[in-house]
Amino acid sequence: MQQGKEIITIERLAHEDGLHRVQAAYIEQDASQCGYCTPGQIMSAVALLNEHHTGSAAEIRECMSGNICRCGAYPNIVVAIQHVAERANP
């Protein structure tokens, strides 16, 4: 189904000059916790930011609801995403 399409994984998200802005925000906001769900959380966060679904914390939580974090880092995840969104839209 994805033949001929570009697939970006967590390993390709960072650039030669450093981490992707979402990866950096997760570190800054301590949104990683144990790290088990972090790759999926970050990839979902990148997608929702690309689709501009950052109008409110409720919208972010709804868009991220498919990813489960056993550590309960949800508040930090939302803050990290808001942090990136605010920097992109001053």
Side-chain angles (χ1 to χ4, degrees):
M1 289 177 23
Q2 302 305 319
Q3 186 173 353
K5 295 182 181 178
E6 181 180 24
I7 306 292
I8 298 176
T9 63
I10 191 74
E11 292 83 9
R12 278 200 52 220
L13 205 55
H15 304 283
E16 287 183 21
D17 57 337
L19 295 174
H20 185 278
R21 57 195 177 120
V22 174
Q23 291 171 311
Y26 268 62
I27 292 168
E28 291 171 14
Q29 302 301 324
D30 194 27
S32 312
Q33 297 289 319
C34 78
Y36 185 78
C37 71
T38 304
Q41 295 279 1
I42 288 174
M43 296 306 291
S44 291
V46 169
L48 81 87
L49 285 159
N50 287 341
E51 296 170 5
H52 307 289
H53 292 297
T54 58
S56 67
E59 182 178 23
I60 292 169
R61 283 193 297 274
E62 176 66 27
C63 289
M64 297 295 288
S65 66
N67 295 8
I68 297 175
C69 173
R70 293 186 69 183
C71 297
Y74 298 113
N76 296 18
I77 291 168
V78 171
V79 170
I81 294 168
Q82 288 174 321
H83 184 73
V84 173
E86 289 167 4
R87 286 184 173 175
N89 301 313

